Amino acid sequence: MNSIQFSAVGRNFEYEYSHGVNWVAMLALALGIAPNLPGFLNAIGAMKASPVSIAIYDWAWFVGFGVAAITYRIGMRAAARDAQVRMHASL
């Protein structure tokens, strides 16, 4: 964590989010949940899911965490690069 930027006041810093929302984290959350939905809907009897979906749902915590972690890591790296470009452009 960059403590200098964390305490900095202003725009275009590494730890600034859009209106207080980290959209990369929201995307990671949604994508972490998505592969588990068919198996969940099968478990509650709302629909019939494929055996693959049921197998994914059996490992829901691990699948969801893995997908969300990879999405968050890639997204935050891209966002950090974008923030650095904006910061250098404003100097």
Side-chain angles (χ1 to χ4, degrees):
M1 181 182 297
N2 187 343
S3 60
I4 294 170
Q5 282 197 6
F6 189 68
S7 62
V9 177
R11 307 302 270 165
N12 300 324
F13 288 103
E14 185 177 352
Y15 298 107
E16 176 189 356
Y17 302 120
S18 174
H19 302 288
V21 177
N22 182 342
W23 291 108
V24 173
M26 295 295 113
L27 177 65
L29 175 66
L31 292 179
I33 292 170
N36 303 309
L37 282 178
F40 172 72
L41 293 173
N42 181 74
I44 64 171
M47 68 172 258
K48 183 74 175 150
S50 71
V52 172
S53 295
I54 294 169
I56 289 172
Y57 183 67
D58 288 341
W59 292 88
W61 281 100
F62 302 106
V63 172
F65 179 79
V67 169
I70 290 167
T71 302
Y72 185 79
R73 175 109 174 156
I74 292 170
M76 289 306 292
R77 280 190 171 194
R81 258 187 259 120
D82 183 50
Q84 283 182 337
V85 168
R86 284 187 281 130
M87 188 173 66
H88 290 293
S90 67
L91 294 178

